[in-house]
Amino acid sequence: MTQVRKFRLGEVLVQQGLLSLHQLEQALAEQKRTGRKLGRVLSDMNLVTDQAIGLTIAEQLKLPFLDLARRELNPELVMRLPETLARRHRALVIGQQDDGLLVAFSDPMDTFAQDEVARALHSMVHPVVVTEKALMDVVDRIYQRREQAAGLAEEVAADLGPAVASLEMLAGTEDAPIVKLITSIFDTAVAQLVSDIHIEPQERQTFIRFRIDGVLHQHSAYDPKVSMALIQRLKLMSNLDISEKRLPQDGRFQTAINGSPIDIRISTLPTQYGESVVMRLLIQSNQKANLDALNMPPAILSRVKLALSAPSGLILVTGPTGSGKTTTLYAALAELNDSETKIITVEDPVEYRLPGLNQVQVYDKIDLTFSRVLRACLRQDPDVLLVGEMRDQETAEIGLRAAMTGHLVVSTLHTNDAAGAVLRLSDMGVPPYMAALGLRLVLAQRLVRVVCDSCRMPYEPAAHEHEWMAKELSTMQTEDGAPMQQASYFKGVGCNSCHQTGYRGRTGIYEMIEMTPEMTHAASQGDHVTFSEIAQKQFANYTLKRDAVRLVLAGRTTVAEAMRASTPI
């Protein structure tokens, strides 16, 4: 093992000018109070960055500092160190040398940790310095708490024995194996920014998959008996009927992971081998969207804000399921939410909770339907109404009447593009004059994956991608009127930050139409061809496809992703 010398981190940071004496005293007092390591305290207090602390430690110990995000790791090599030790000692096996293993430590001064790791690996250990956050991100991604989850699954199986889960077992305390197993799954999901958890029973195993940035990834597999207990416990948490396995059910519950409240929507579906469960995770701390943060083109953003300032009219946000429509609606409401405005939302389910709003959850089982709630809402003297979705003729007509009688109404609709909104309303049976007079603006949107900043590099697209871009660029011009050209393309090659996908996070692409007198006339006559032609001319420079090309030009996404996201459904 490489020998390391001790030094006082705080004093060195002060000498380097990264920390003042007063700040060091504050951090030392916090360290004494909490018992945490000084580096962690300094980072949590935002006094010194993790990167600066790591570089300082590496320099003082004459050890290499490594950016883990850019390091390609072999999962089999990493997992030679048991997960429990990796988490306890903040250690990660990152490479192999002739005389031992290269191991990343967030605290290489902890010689006891190095000894423990060396004994567990039966090998000489050569320490490398990394930041704790980067290390734990990789640990969460590669290990995914598999050891913990596997052990808990075995405990659940042992508790079950040959019998099915009892009600007492399902309603167990926090120490019960089934409860710990669910908590472990949620912990991993939150750490990996998962939007949905899928539990899918098959003949011999039940698979759990995570949806990250719109793409499903395999997480784990359990014995069907264990997964049955898991599903029953989730149904109990959601106040669903655990005895009913033949019919679909929907519910929700709230839990807290690492102190952050999380709303979880759950849907069950009977399949050939048991109940399939999908859970949508809504992290409350992430639900503070505002319009300026949605990456809309400035021309569209200004028109949307202008439409929101109007006293009446219907504003529709359209797009497929999972395209961020609800986030856009709540960003719009955040723009309007003040002490002078009465806002009522009618949703199924209520996804985001915002202070100052009057939010109503519809419940069809007791005849608390969209249409019934909307009628009641109009007697509550609202200024703004949010209708979760225009699902049927009655709901659409009530919303449009409200928009025509002095209320601002915002809602969603499922269409391929913005121009299709009027035709969709017509298909639902809404009279043409109502759509023409009530509708003010339609915003269509999709989500595209963003190239990972940590592994972003130039690349050469395939021939068909070049052809697609050339066709789009031929109709675009720069501000001075010159033809638009693409200098270079970028993609992510895959790293630890993006789970080797090359993408990290998603952003929106948008197109918009505003009702003009010509469009209103065409819509009122039911002339959808003329309406569509006028609409196409209006947003010629701001189509979904054009906005996707804008992101490619900015190096934020790939041609393949732009093509996928802007293709009609």
Side-chain angles (χ1 to χ4, degrees):
M1 181 181 70
T2 304
Q3 295 296 319
V4 297
R5 67 179 183 85
K6 297 287 186 179
F7 69 96
R8 294 183 178 274
L9 176 62
E11 292 179 3
V12 174
L13 291 171
V14 171
Q15 292 171 6
Q16 293 180 344
L18 298 173
L19 195 67
S20 69
L21 279 172
H22 177 64
Q23 290 173 325
L24 176 58
E25 290 171 0
Q26 288 179 312
L28 289 172
E30 179 68 10
Q31 180 192 27
K32 184 177 180 180
R33 186 183 71 83
T34 62
R36 292 179 296 166
K37 293 183 178 181
L38 181 60
R40 185 74 266 142
V41 171
L42 291 170
S43 177
D44 290 346
M45 293 178 68
N46 295 318
L47 297 176
V48 186
T49 66
D50 280 345
Q51 188 88 351
I53 292 170
L55 288 168
T56 299
I57 292 173
E59 182 182 348
Q60 293 297 311
L61 299 182
K62 308 300 183 191
L63 292 174
F65 176 82
L66 181 67
D67 182 356
L68 268 180
R70 297 180 180 275
R71 176 85 177 200
E72 187 173 347
L73 300 177
N74 180 346
E76 292 184 2
L77 185 62
V78 170
M79 294 179 72
R80 284 180 57 178
L81 182 66
E83 181 179 0
T84 51
L85 289 180
R87 292 184 181 278
R88 183 191 308 155
H89 297 308
R90 299 297 194 260
L92 192 73
V93 182
I94 61 172
Q96 195 160 12
Q97 296 181 341
D98 293 339
D99 59 343
L101 293 170
L102 208 59
V103 180
F105 291 92
S106 61
D107 182 10
M109 290 184 289
D110 188 344
T111 54
F112 173 76
Q114 290 190 36
D115 288 340
E116 283 276 286
V117 170
R119 276 195 294 271
L121 293 171
H122 306 291
S123 171
M124 173 75 77
V125 165
H126 301 290
V128 173
V129 184
V130 296
T131 66
E132 182 173 347
K133 182 181 183 306
L135 186 144
M136 293 310 297
D137 283 347
V138 176
V139 168
D140 286 336
R141 180 180 66 81
I142 293 181
Y143 289 99
Q144 297 186 5
R145 301 184 185 271
R146 286 189 178 93
E147 288 183 8
Q148 180 188 40
L152 291 170
E154 288 178 4
E155 289 184 46
V156 173
D159 283 354
L160 286 169
V164 296
S166 64
L167 188 60
E168 291 77 12
M169 175 187 171
L170 295 173
T173 64
E174 291 184 2
D175 293 330
I178 190 68
V179 177
K180 287 183 177 180
L181 179 59
I182 290 174
T183 301
S184 173
I185 293 171
F186 285 143
D187 277 345
T188 306
V190 170
Q192 296 190 21
L193 304 179
V194 170
S195 62
D196 301 87
I197 300 174
H198 292 239
I199 304 177
E200 302 168 325
Q202 300 299 316
E203 185 175 6
R204 292 183 176 84
Q205 284 185 309
T206 295
F207 296 102
I208 295 183
R209 297 196 289 172
F210 289 164
R211 189 175 295 280
I212 304 172
D213 292 338
V215 178
L216 281 171
H217 299 265
Q218 181 76 29
H219 171 256
S220 56
Y222 296 120
D223 181 275
K225 188 168 60 175
V226 173
S227 61
M228 283 176 62
L230 184 70
I231 292 169
Q232 293 292 78
R233 167 68 186 181
L234 290 169
K235 290 173 70 174
L236 200 65
M237 294 168 69
S238 312
N239 293 318
L240 300 181
D241 185 353
I242 62 173
S243 65
E244 180 56 77
K245 301 177 183 179
R246 303 164 300 170
L247 297 173
Q249 298 187 67
D250 295 299
R252 72 184 303 157
F253 61 94
Q254 189 175 80
T255 187
I257 301 297
N258 297 326
S260 297
I262 300 176
D263 276 334
I264 298 170
R265 286 167 41 191
I266 181 171
S267 169
T268 71
L269 180 70
T271 67
Q272 183 179 5
Y273 297 112
E275 289 181 285
S276 170
V277 172
V278 175
M279 291 178 285
R280 168 68 55 89
L281 276 57
L282 300 166
I283 303 175
Q284 295 296 318
S285 59
N286 292 345
Q287 297 170 6
K288 299 177 181 178
N290 62 77
L291 287 175
D292 293 323
L294 295 184
N295 194 41
M296 290 183 190
I300 290 181
L301 178 62
S302 62
R303 302 309 299 175
V304 170
K305 287 187 174 182
L306 187 61
L308 288 170
S309 67
S312 63
L314 172 63
I315 297 174
L316 283 176
V317 180
T318 75
T321 301
S323 60
K325 298 188 298 296
T326 304
T327 299
T328 299
L329 287 185
Y330 270 86
L333 291 189
E335 194 88 8
L336 300 169
N337 192 15
D338 58 39
S339 60
E340 300 176 354
T341 306
K342 170 110 178 189
I343 301 175
I344 302 179
T345 76
V346 187
E347 304 168 77
D348 182 22
V350 174
E351 291 195 18
Y352 297 166
R353 293 180 171 87
L354 286 182
L357 271 58
N358 301 275
Q359 297 177 273
V360 183
Q361 165 87 49
V362 304
Y363 192 38
D364 290 334
K365 289 183 179 178
I366 59 171
D367 199 30
L368 191 65
T369 60
F370 269 105
S371 55
R372 186 171 187 175
V373 174
L374 275 173
R375 289 193 187 94
C377 287
L378 294 176
R379 296 191 290 272
Q380 290 281 309
D381 188 29
D383 298 298
V384 180
L385 279 171
L386 180 149
V387 183
E389 183 184 343
M390 295 289 189
R391 292 186 174 181
D392 52 50
Q393 178 183 353
E394 190 176 16
T395 302
E397 288 187 4
I398 295 172
L400 281 163
R401 285 197 184 97
M404 294 164 63
T405 55
H407 303 87
L408 183 65
V409 182
V410 293
S411 187
T412 68
L413 195 66
H414 289 273
T415 65
N416 278 340
D417 54 23
V422 170
L423 179 59
R424 177 75 184 98
L425 290 171
S426 177
D427 287 342
M428 292 167 63
V430 174
Y433 79 92
M434 291 187 68
L437 297 177
L439 192 60
R440 178 177 293 276
L441 180 145
V442 183
L443 180 73
Q445 68 179 69
R446 306 274 179 85
L447 292 177
V448 299
R449 290 182 293 172
V450 177
V451 171
C452 175
D453 285 334
S454 298
C455 59
R456 179 175 177 269
M457 65 179 296
Y459 82 110
E460 190 63 26
H464 71 282
E465 295 174 343
H466 264 302
E467 184 179 346
W468 186 85
M469 279 295 293
K471 182 179 178 181
E472 294 305 313
L473 291 173
S474 66
T475 61
M476 298 174 65
Q477 294 180 338
T478 61
E479 293 182 0
D480 58 4
M484 190 77 75
Q485 294 183 346
Q486 175 68 36
S488 57
Y489 298 89
F490 292 88
K491 73 171 184 178
V493 295
C495 68
N496 299 313
S497 292
C498 61
H499 308 287
Q500 306 300 324
T501 64
Y503 299 98
R504 185 167 176 83
R506 291 187 291 176
T507 190
I509 55 174
Y510 305 90
E511 71 181 24
M512 180 202 74
I513 59 169
E514 283 184 292
M515 296 298 287
T516 63
E518 295 79 14
M519 295 170 71
T520 300
H521 176 74
S524 65
Q525 299 299 311
D527 187 352
H528 300 300
V529 174
T530 302
F531 178 88
S532 182
E533 289 175 351
I534 299 171
Q536 294 289 344
K537 291 178 182 178
Q538 184 187 114
F539 61 63
N541 292 322
Y542 296 102
T543 62
L544 290 168
K545 188 178 291 186
R546 187 62 56 85
D547 205 18
V549 170
R550 175 178 66 89
L551 292 177
V552 174
L553 294 173
R556 298 198 64 202
T557 194
T558 61
V559 181
E561 184 68 7
M563 292 173 65
R564 181 198 62 81
S566 60
T567 300
I569 298 169

